[in-house]
Amino acid sequence: MNAVSNKSRDGNSAASSDLEEDCDFIREPPAKKLKMASDALTRLDLRGTGSPGNSESFEVDIAAPNAAISAEWADVIDQVKNAIVAIRVTAVRSFEDCAAGVWDGTGFVVSLDNPKEALILTNRHIITTGPIRARATFYEHDDLPIWPVYRDPVHDFGLFQFDSTELRFTPPTAICVAPLELRVGTEVLVIGNDNAEKIQILPATIARTDRNCPEYHDNYEDENTFYAGAGSNTSGGSSGSPVIARSGNCIALNAGGAHEAASAFFLPLDRAVYVLDWLKEHPNEIPLPPRGTLLARWLFQPFDMLRRLGFTAQQEEEVLSLSPDASLNDRQKGLLVVENVIRGTEAEQRLKPGDVLLEVAGKPCLNFVILEEQLDTAVDSEVNIKLSRAGEVKNIQLRVVDFHKLISHDFVECGGGVFHVLSYHTCKTYNIPISERGIYVAQSGFSFGLQIPVSAVITSVAGKKVTNLRDFEAALAGVPNKEMFEVRWFNPSANEHRQKCSMIRMERTLWPARIWDFCPKRPNTWKRRSWVDEGVQEPPASAAPEASVADASPISDARSRASAEQDSDTVPAALREEDSFGYPENSDAAISMVQPMLCTIVTQVSHEYATDFLQSKEENKSTVIRRFGVGLVIDTGGLVLTDRYTVPQPLVEVELTFGQTVTVNATCLFMHPHHNMVLLHYDPSAVKDLPVRAIELGDAQPKTEELSAGQILSFVSIHSDHQLSAKQVTVGSMCLKVWPFPQPPAYRGRNLEICNLNDTLHGLGGLLIEPAPSYRIRAWFAQFPAGSLRYLAGVPVQVFAAVLASLGLHSSWAAKRVRPLDPKLEVAALECEFEEVSLAKARREDGVPLENARALAACSSGGRRQILRVGRITSGGGCDSILLEGDLVLSINGKPVTKPHEVEREMRKCHSPDSGDGASVSSMRWRVQRSRQPMDLDLTPTLLRSDGTEHIVVFNGVVLRPTPRAVAERGGPTLAFTRPGQGLYFWYIYPGSPADTFSFADSRAMRNLGWLVQLNNEPTPSIERLLEIIHSGALSGCEWLRCHVMDAEGRLSVRALRPDFEFWPTVEIVRRKSEGDQYQSPTWARVEHMP
């Protein structure tokens, strides 16, 4: 389940810091020492329940901290309040300097020269370098969209633009930016969205103006500028706040602060003024003012420190003589010194750490302002640099590099991951040569997630070196869908610079490859384009609305295009033609007998599509959930039995490994709606050279002796490394396990007897067999899901053989099989849950008649005398209103029953799967004890199909699916849209989506689950109806969608959501089953729907 993401940057001291990205599936960084002022204190959602305009965190309530400040600053506050805005930013994709998610900040209007393109100044770490959506809320609660227009490549400031003519209640107001007023001792007010709740006022006094940049120890750090320091005690949400002097001008920009101190750091705005002036002078040009760099980091050092570096007294006198009339406070106190240089550059060859900068382009360079003025006027040309190296004056020529070209904005999506070229700041942080930057993994996704971590750097793909996005795109385009390919990478964030090699499986069926090019116009946008090898152009924007199936591969060969329509599992020819390996030899006869029946199963589920089960804490931190289990071959024609912990849902990638030699893909064929059993189908030709053997179901006859406590048997288990082990064990108990209810509702086993052992078990599961010479199978041990945990227990052979028989799988089944299994198979089931009650208790408390008690005792076995009691009834199911909780089952069709598999045996007699008009089921005669009185009931079993989600729609970032059966199995009243298979149920929201931005779910109570019951004025009882609404054009041109949401308690609420069909189109994922005589495994297809 996904909590709504906030961008978190927090820390603990003023010396140095780490910068934390509070996002899903990223490593936990070490303790923080500094923070950027955009910190959200917790991940709890403080945004209210509606659109940002109605959210509490967007209320702009300017209230001074005390009366004295209010009296002194009243006129100033009244002058600037209408220009200050609360900003909510949504990163629609993960990027190098942020994870996908939502965060708050502050900004202020700095230009109204063009009312249609008014400008708001804020921090760069608020605007970021990746694709975003943002809104600004003004003093009088006007809520407007704002668009990024400029991101500075190095300093912590950026610009949004908005249409000021759309303001209805707030008078358009701009604040003048005056960096020259920034002086020590100046009293200021920091006015911003402090603590991510309200815009508040914090007083401060400028203590220093020559502080070097704060170090956050993250990918992005400011450099080559002074910072001002003050004790304003700002906190999360105040990033981008103006630092207001008594003149009413903004003299600096709030950027960061210490976590456990009052210290705050303000960015001087000299370069911001330069950018603003340039944009005003060039209104029709691309908003990229010239920004130059020497690819070196400079620090300001006082003269005493310069002396230690060899700076001579004569050189010091020459510097001081440049301003002989300066006052003591204004005199020159030091110079700029090379701290370090970027590897792989000209600067690395000509500059050395410790060099003291004297002149740039013939002009004395006394501070950062002069340095940047000279570099910005000489982009892509050479400048003369005069410096002092250990007291020796040197003159060198260096080329000024265009800073904008070193910052990544373009990105590629592939296999659910996000990739872009490594930027200047990460190269600087981890000392990576900028000439061969490689590809940065901003989000690893499904294909790369288990092998390559976030923040890794990819250097080659499929044997091709990649140093830019075009190379990366071409290398990926050459890999067919479902094929394995090699990726070489290293992880600088973990201080691992040696390259590693991983094998990745290409996945484009559910995650089509996309390329997004940055368009640095006014405002900044991203445009999707085709792969390099495709001649297919993007459809024009004016094309008629239609649904299109996404290509599963971006290359043009017919094989890959066929994979887009059908996700069929194939086996490489080399594997099919290999010589026979056989099974590994083993001195243990039990292992040798059992291993041809077993295989190891590895499954992978994408986190966002984990719809049918709960994840453990470790799984919640990963983008891909991987589980291991054991499979039992029940037919050599390609059927394997496994459990619902290993294969938790139909939408899953499954691999089977036989004999530690052959690995094949498999498809989830059938998930039993009640029992912990899943049938998988694989291509039997892939293992034709192995002596695979199926379990003999004919050995499991009802007359077979049942397990009893104290029996000594052999347990053969299989492990995740594909090896088997055997040990002697003792049967502990047989019981009808009642599993706890998971929250939120998910699959929970019912009505299945299990076997426990007195011994400690290791491995993933296996078989319990008799000793030599019979080696007869007595139980199958599997993993049972228990919420987010697992429980290893055995299922007696009679029990699971009876379940398989109900599916038509019996001893004579293989001989007359025409097709492996009907994909639309229905199984007769009772929508109620049984509990075991001792016969003595039933007689004493419920008054079971003596003759019934004798009959029940006579049919009991295994040393257990019990009776079945109805413990829970599925709401709206076939048993509802017929059976009642607490009913004791005396007999069915005149036969006493004491175990659930005996009840299923009677149901099987009433089930006719091959009748002319399809499957049918007749009623059964039940005799129950209710309120101490026997009663006769007629009860017809319900025909249920395979369980699990087979139809999903992602609508504006919320994953919707039909209501799972587990909701009704919890019992309680049946609400509208909550019956199994109906409604639009959700419990996952994509970070950075419109649903995340506008608080689609009640995440304040950590309940990201419920139903979408109405969209605008249209009820949405099903996925099909939602798609009809989209295709009808009812959503076209809608700025806001009114989403009526119902929570698990039946409460209705409305969420106002602004759709974003560019980055978040409506995506349908559906499982397609074969029809006709020729059998094909079920496949998945991805379809995009546009309004």
Side-chain angles (χ1 to χ4, degrees), residues 368-387:
F368 289 113
V369 176
I370 298 174
L371 172 64
E372 292 198 289
E373 285 177 351
Q374 296 302 312
L375 297 182
D376 289 349
T377 58
V379 174
D380 291 331
S381 61
E382 289 192 346
V383 295
N384 183 68
I385 304 295
K386 182 179 180 181
L387 48 83

Side-chain angles (χ1 to χ4, degrees), residues 360-432:
V360 176
K363 183 176 181 179
C365 188
L366 304 179
N367 51 49
F368 289 113
V369 176
I370 298 174
L371 172 64
E372 292 198 289
E373 285 177 351
Q374 296 302 312
L375 297 182
D376 289 349
T377 58
V379 174
D380 291 331
S381 61
E382 289 192 346
V383 295
N384 183 68
I385 304 295
K386 182 179 180 181
L387 48 83
S388 171
R389 180 174 299 166
E392 180 182 357
V393 176
K394 291 183 174 293
N395 288 279
I396 60 174
Q397 293 286 326
L398 281 178
R399 185 171 184 83
V400 180
V401 178
D402 186 348
F403 223 145
H404 293 296
K405 295 180 179 180
L406 304 180
I407 306 301
S408 300
H409 297 290
D410 302 340
F411 65 96
V412 165
E413 291 182 281
C414 181
V418 178
F419 310 88
H420 60 78
V421 176
L422 206 62
S423 78
Y424 166 87
H425 294 282
T426 302
C427 291
K428 175 190 68 176
T429 301
Y430 298 112
N431 199 27
I432 300 172

Side-chain angles (χ1 to χ4, degrees), residues 207-259:
R208 57 182 301 191
T209 60
D210 59 355
R211 188 194 194 282
N212 282 311
C213 298
E215 298 179 354
Y216 300 102
H217 288 196
D218 194 74
N219 285 357
Y220 169 70
E221 287 183 355
D222 206 340
E223 66 177 10
N224 299 343
T225 184
F226 288 121
Y227 265 70
S232 67
N233 200 28
T234 55
S235 60
S238 61
S239 279
S241 301
V243 180
I244 303 296
R246 290 185 181 274
S247 62
N249 296 331
C250 175
I251 64 175
L253 186 67
N254 184 44
H259 185 56

Side-chain angles (χ1 to χ4, degrees), residues 261-296:
S263 303
F265 310 124
F266 305 147
L267 173 69
L269 295 175
D270 302 272
R271 285 297 92 189
V273 171
Y274 158 73
V275 170
L276 286 170
D277 291 342
W278 190 95
L279 293 177
K280 294 176 183 177
E281 295 170 2
H282 304 80
N284 299 320
E285 295 186 23
I286 293 177
L288 290 177
R291 299 287 279 118
T293 178
L294 296 176
L295 299 175

Side-chain angles (χ1 to χ4, degrees), residues 606-779:
S606 178
H607 186 272
E608 63 266 32
Y609 296 144
T611 57
D612 294 353
F613 65 101
L614 301 188
Q615 301 94 58
S616 65
K617 292 181 179 179
E618 292 74 19
E619 291 172 337
N620 263 321
K621 299 176 183 177
S622 175
T623 58
V624 183
I625 300 164
R626 178 165 60 179
R627 290 182 173 180
F628 298 86
V630 59
L632 177 62
V633 180
I634 61 173
D635 181 72
T636 55
L639 280 184
V640 167
L641 176 68
T642 188
D643 54 75
R644 289 195 62 164
Y645 177 84
T646 304
V647 181
Q649 62 182 43
L651 183 52
V652 61
E653 291 279 350
V654 185
E655 290 182 347
L656 311 180
T657 299
F658 294 85
Q660 306 180 40
T661 304
V662 178
T663 297
V664 298
N665 297 321
T667 302
C668 177
L669 198 60
F670 184 85
M671 305 188 77
H672 200 285
H674 289 163
H675 300 322
N676 185 35
M677 297 182 185
V678 179
L679 289 179
L680 303 176
H681 178 259
Y682 68 93
D683 182 1
S685 65
V687 294
K688 64 181 181 181
D689 295 321
L690 286 175
V692 176
R693 184 160 57 91
I695 182 175
E696 182 54 57
L697 298 178
D699 293 340
Q701 298 297 331
K703 63 183 180 180
T704 304
E705 178 187 357
E706 295 189 1
L707 289 173
S708 60
Q711 283 185 276
I712 299 177
L713 303 170
S714 294
F715 177 56
V716 180
S717 62
I718 194 167
H719 302 261
S720 59
D721 59 359
H722 313 297
Q723 298 192 36
L724 287 86
S725 63
K727 65 183 295 187
Q728 193 177 69
V729 296
T730 304
V731 177
S733 65
M734 295 286 300
C735 66
L736 176 60
K737 179 73 173 178
V738 178
W739 300 98
F741 282 96
Q743 182 60 29
Y747 166 75
R748 168 181 169 274
R750 51 165 47 180
N751 299 341
L752 192 67
E753 291 180 276
I754 64 171
C755 166
N756 292 310
L757 303 179
N758 289 337
D759 305 81
T760 302
L761 299 182
H762 300 283
L764 307 173
L767 290 175
L768 189 66
I769 63 175
E770 293 180 352
S774 68
Y775 295 118
R776 188 170 56 164
I777 297 173
R778 301 305 305 276

Side-chain angles (χ1 to χ4, degrees), residues 549-568:
V549 178
D551 287 340
S553 171
I555 63 176
S556 57
D557 63 87
R559 175 185 177 186
S560 296
R561 292 191 182 278
S563 298
E565 298 293 335
Q566 180 170 303
D567 181 12
S568 60

